[in-house]
Amino acid sequence: MVRQQLLQRASALTTRHALQPSLRNTAQRRLASGEMPKLTGAADNAFNRERMAVKQHAAGSSDLWRKLSLYVALPSLIIAAINAKNLWDEHWEHWDHLPPLEDRIEYDYMNIRTKKFFWGDGDKLE
């Protein structure tokens, strides 16, 4: 008697699971599909159509910005960094050819100061 009740309950559960797809499978199918579902019946109104259009536009523009970031911005940053490094090296290479600061000639037009700085005379080189 108990065994027969358990078999009936198991068959009822199996039938119910066979008729209703699990929530997980539905979500996986929905996320895997590339196109938006069609609206039918009461759901087919102006508000829902506008929401679907906004979703489609957002999906397209986010894909565009992702591609721009990966294929345009990152290579541009790498090229700019290489250029900055080369300019930095050239600058210090130029300074290596100049005589030391102590041996340079101070001309009259260099370091002209007509008034004192508010923190003192401003002559910090001496």
Side-chain angles (χ1 to χ4, degrees):
M1 175 98 170
V2 175
R3 185 173 187 199
Q4 187 178 14
Q5 288 175 346
L6 287 174
L7 286 174
Q8 286 176 349
R9 187 177 292 169
S11 68
L13 287 175
T14 307
T15 307
R16 193 177 336 155
H17 282 288
L19 293 177
Q20 296 176 346
S22 70
L23 184 62
R24 182 176 179 191
N25 289 339
T26 304
Q28 286 177 345
R29 273 197 310 266
R30 213 170 257 175
L31 291 174
S33 67
E35 61 188 45
M36 298 291 179
K38 300 288 184 195
L39 298 172
T40 57
D44 189 16
N45 57 33
F47 176 75
N48 286 338
R49 284 192 298 270
E50 184 180 352
R51 292 268 309 190
M52 294 293 282
V54 168
K55 281 184 181 181
Q56 288 174 347
H57 174 70
S61 63
S62 66
D63 187 48
L64 169 74
W65 282 105
R66 181 183 58 83
K67 287 179 182 176
L68 282 174
S69 297
L70 291 176
Y71 302 123
V72 175
L74 286 178
S76 298
L77 286 173
I78 292 170
I79 290 170
I82 292 170
N83 185 36
K85 173 75 167 97
N86 289 339
L87 289 174
W88 177 264
D89 291 341
E90 285 177 17
H91 172 72
W92 288 110
E93 194 175 294
H94 167 75
W95 274 84
D96 287 341
H97 298 295
L98 295 175
L101 286 175
E102 299 85 24
D103 297 343
R104 292 190 196 156
I105 302 169
E106 286 199 34
Y107 295 101
D108 294 337
Y109 60 86
M110 297 175 85
N111 294 326
I112 297 174
R113 295 186 181 102
T114 57
K115 62 180 183 179
K116 293 187 178 206
F117 292 106
F118 62 90
W119 62 81
D121 63 354
D123 199 10
K124 302 295 181 194
L125 297 177
E126 295 176 358

